[in-house]
Amino acid sequence: QVQLVESGGGLVQPGGSLRLSCAASGFTLDAYGIGWFRQGPGEEREAVSAIGYENGRPYYADSVKGRFTISRDVAKNTVYLQMTSLKPEDTGVYYCHKGGRYLREPYGSSWTRLHRYDASGQGTQVTVSS
């Protein structure tokens, strides 16, 4: 069955870096895309980044462009989110989501819509604080 396992979160000072991992099983990354979403305390889950299934094309929210880099290792069936220049507002639980059957490339803005995804992991906490 489909399973997604996030890891790599932690406590980091402003300006620091973290690399999150999303290990996928039950499907392959060359057939379905992956989206990273985050949820701060008392907030709705928001789209951060996604990676397409055809060629690994990256997509980013404006708030993280130039600071975050998404990548994938198809052989390991794992997606990574390298986060640099972290800010306190990046704090939250980060979830990776598997694209659903109707999330097809080119994504346009559809990758930001949570209902386009059909599975997620348990999340990993990222806290940016001095």
Side-chain angles (χ1 to χ4, degrees):
Q1 69 273 23
V2 170
Q3 189 173 17
L4 298 150
V5 180
E6 302 95 336
S7 61
L11 173 63
V12 63
Q13 293 186 341
S17 300
L18 282 174
R19 189 178 81 154
L20 306 184
S21 298
C22 171
S25 59
F27 67 99
T28 57
L29 297 181
D30 56 1
Y32 294 92
I34 293 289
W36 281 99
F37 286 70
R38 66 187 179 195
Q39 188 166 18
E43 298 178 359
E44 293 187 355
R45 203 169 292 193
E46 65 170 348
V48 175
S49 181
I51 190 162
Y53 52 89
E54 288 186 342
N55 297 306
R57 177 181 173 179
Y59 301 79
Y60 299 101
D62 287 344
S63 59
V64 307
K65 276 181 185 174
R67 300 189 298 121
F68 290 11
T69 302
I70 192 169
S71 62
R72 66 179 185 175
D73 185 329
V74 175
K76 294 183 178 179
N77 222 37
T78 299
V79 172
Y80 304 98
L81 186 67
Q82 179 69 49
M83 307 186 296
T84 63
S85 302
L86 282 162
K87 305 175 181 179
E89 51 263 44
D90 294 319
T91 293
V93 180
Y94 283 68
Y95 301 88
C96 63
H97 289 251
K98 170 188 166 291
R101 60 186 295 182
Y102 296 113
L103 185 62
R104 312 314 291 174
E105 293 195 89
Y107 287 164
S109 63
S110 60
W111 71 271
T112 66
R113 302 190 179 115
L114 198 54
H115 71 272
R116 295 286 185 174
Y117 299 83
D118 60 11
S120 67
Q122 81 291 346
T124 185
Q125 176 71 46
V126 172
T127 302
V128 185
S129 175
S130 55

